[in-house]
Amino acid sequence: LSTLQNTGIERERERERERERERERERERERERERERERERQRERERERERGREREREREREREREREGGGGSESGREKGERERERERERERERERERERERERRKKGSDIERRK
């Protein structure tokens, strides 16, 4: 083989090695994305458990109030107002949670676009 042919063969081998390195980098990026998705699923499961615990605490507080006879001196109107205020607070919390979720998704898609 001539020197020219050897040089061409060597260049082709180098290009093939570079393509392989790029494929490996892409596989690594995909593995990292999968790990991030798994971490997000884990965080979501934890948030779900926390919401369940909070609902249970709220039910316990409700049972406690019922055992105490609903406060006795408090009128039905005042109890109703307090319940509506608690419901508004829960709704605000749910809205904040949805907003955090939107931010996380937006951040995740920003990260995907940069890659």
Side-chain angles (χ1 to χ4, degrees), residues 56-103:
E56 187 47 48
R57 286 190 294 266
E58 184 54 41
R59 282 192 294 272
E60 186 49 47
R61 287 190 292 268
E62 196 54 49
R63 285 190 293 270
E64 189 58 39
R65 283 190 293 274
E66 286 168 11
R67 280 194 294 275
E68 292 169 356
S73 65
E74 199 174 37
S75 74
R77 183 176 59 80
E78 289 166 331
K79 271 191 286 209
E81 284 171 9
R82 216 178 47 198
E83 185 50 45
R84 282 189 297 279
E85 181 50 44
R86 276 195 301 272
E87 187 46 49
R88 282 191 297 269
E89 184 50 45
R90 284 191 293 266
E91 185 49 46
R92 285 191 293 268
E93 183 51 44
R94 284 190 292 268
E95 186 48 46
R96 285 190 293 267
E97 183 59 37
R98 284 190 292 268
E99 185 54 40
R100 285 190 294 265
E101 192 57 41
R102 280 191 292 273
E103 281 302 312

Side-chain angles (χ1 to χ4, degrees), residues 45-56:
R45 285 189 295 269
E46 185 49 45
R47 284 189 297 271
E48 199 44 57
R49 282 192 294 273
E50 183 50 43
R51 285 190 290 266
R53 288 190 292 266
E54 183 50 45
R55 283 190 297 271
E56 187 47 48

Side-chain angles (χ1 to χ4, degrees), residues 16-59:
E16 186 47 48
R17 284 190 294 268
E18 185 48 47
R19 284 190 293 267
E20 186 48 47
R21 285 190 293 267
E22 185 49 45
R23 284 189 293 269
E24 185 49 45
R25 286 189 293 266
E26 186 49 46
R27 285 189 293 268
E28 184 50 44
R29 285 189 293 266
E30 186 48 48
R31 286 188 292 267
E32 184 49 46
R33 285 189 292 266
E34 186 48 48
R35 286 188 292 266
E36 183 50 45
R37 285 188 292 267
E38 184 49 45
R39 286 188 293 266
E40 186 51 44
R41 286 189 292 268
Q42 186 59 40
R43 287 188 292 264
E44 186 50 47
R45 285 189 295 269
E46 185 49 45
R47 284 189 297 271
E48 199 44 57
R49 282 192 294 273
E50 183 50 43
R51 285 190 290 266
R53 288 190 292 266
E54 183 50 45
R55 283 190 297 271
E56 187 47 48
R57 286 190 294 266
E58 184 54 41
R59 282 192 294 272

